[in-house]
Amino acid sequence: MRADVLRRTPLVVAVHSLATPEECAQLQGEAGDLSSLGRAHVSGGTTSRDRRTLSKNLYPGETNDTLTRLAARFFETARQLTGYELDGEGQEPVNWLYYKSGYEYRPHCDGACGTRSVNYGSRVASSLLYCAVADDGGGTVFPPDGLKIEPTVGMLLLFTYNPDPDGLSRHAACPVLRGEKMTATQWYREGVTAKHDWEFAAKGGRLPRRKKQRSSPRRKRERQEV
Ligand SMILES: O=C(O)CCC(=O)C(=O)O
Ligand SMILES: [Fe+2]
């Protein structure tokens, strides 16, 4: 697997071929009929004015389906590249996004932008797996510094925002001009577990601190490299 660091702080990294085209097709099949998709909603239940996409939550489970296998891969990759304490349990579902021609996702922040430190249990990073890419348009951009990503099928774009004092993690999906685009978004929260899950954290519940794992030299080195 090849990864390109596109920005060091806050981190933006493109992991090439995280999923195969076959896995992407299977995931699309598991996401179901496009008619089952609704107007995009944000976690509070209100329709986001920032989005013009269709979306659906997908819930990784115990079974060995593609969604569950890919979600485990998202977390393994995110742990290695960020050094955050990320437990795969108790996290938000995967958000499947479908963009037709003309659809876009205007500039927004997934969690906090412009802060030095977020509360334990809040979102600290996001990743997008591109499963279908537009023939024209549909790139992901970070307007504050003009970073632009041209997606390819199976690429995972991972970015962090704890800390992000200058708000550089603000991002947008450019309008799809031709063709269609499909992505699977995963948001990552530090400190959530099966017992104290993301909904508990989102309601302002206090999460118990986990014992700090002692960093092995290898983990330290990985953190410095990205
Ligand atoms: O589809 C994209 O390029 C961006 C999606 C996004 O920003 C999100 O799901 O939060
Ligand atoms: Fe986003």
Side-chain angles (χ1 to χ4, degrees):
M1 223 179 286
R2 210 185 87 223
D4 288 331
V5 175
L6 306 175
R7 190 207 293 130
R8 276 181 180 262
T9 37
L11 183 69
V12 179
V13 50
V15 182
H16 302 277
S17 306
L18 182 102
T20 63
E22 293 73 32
E23 286 173 319
C24 269
Q26 283 159 8
L27 187 60
Q28 189 183 335
E30 289 171 14
D33 199 323
L34 294 176
S35 64
S36 67
L37 270 60
R39 272 288 306 283
H41 286 257
V42 288
S43 39
T46 53
T47 306
S48 168
R49 273 170 297 140
D50 296 330
R51 286 200 207 179
R52 274 210 66 208
T53 65
L54 297 173
S55 81
K56 180 182 187 177
N57 285 334
L58 304 178
Y59 295 86
E62 299 296 308
T63 55
N64 191 30
D65 58 4
T66 305
L67 172 66
T68 305
R69 282 186 283 115
L70 285 176
R73 212 177 293 161
F74 298 160
F75 276 89
E76 187 52 44
T77 307
R79 271 192 290 269
Q80 285 192 16
L81 291 172
T82 66
Y84 291 145
E85 274 174 56
L86 302 171
D87 191 328
E89 302 273 313
Q91 299 277 349
E92 295 183 61
V94 170
N95 200 239
W96 180 251
L97 290 178
Y98 173 63
Y99 300 77
K100 297 193 228 192
S101 179
Y103 283 23
E104 65 179 322
Y105 196 159
R106 299 213 179 94
H108 66 280
C109 300
D110 288 358
C113 276
T115 53
R116 286 191 183 280
S117 157
V118 305
N119 292 334
Y120 199 52
S122 299
R123 292 177 181 172
V124 292
S126 307
S127 70
L128 318 175
L129 174 69
Y130 300 101
C131 267
V133 301
D135 298 320
D136 198 3
T140 305
V141 289
F142 291 81
D145 65 356
L147 184 61
K148 178 155 194 201
I149 290 89
E150 295 293 349
T152 54
V153 172
M155 176 198 281
L156 185 84
L157 179 71
L158 175 77
F159 57 95
T160 67
Y161 32 89
N162 187 29
D164 175 22
D166 302 318
L168 296 179
S169 65
R170 190 174 173 80
H171 59 283
C174 298
V176 169
L177 301 175
R178 206 157 47 83
E180 49 185 33
K181 170 182 168 188
M182 293 179 216
T183 61
T185 300
Q186 177 76 61
W187 293 293
Y188 301 86
R189 292 171 182 260
E190 255 191 322
V192 299
T193 56
K195 188 163 172 218
H196 295 97
D197 67 4
W198 74 272
E199 287 181 289
F200 174 80
K203 285 185 199 129
R206 265 180 76 84
L207 297 169
R209 281 269 167 192
R210 274 195 269 158
K211 273 199 223 113
K212 265 260 178 264
Q213 286 175 343
R214 286 221 357 239
S215 276
S216 69
R218 180 154 172 264
R219 279 177 63 88
K220 263 195 200 140
R221 200 167 54 237
E222 272 166 6
R223 270 212 296 275
Q224 280 163 5
E225 270 168 16
V226 291

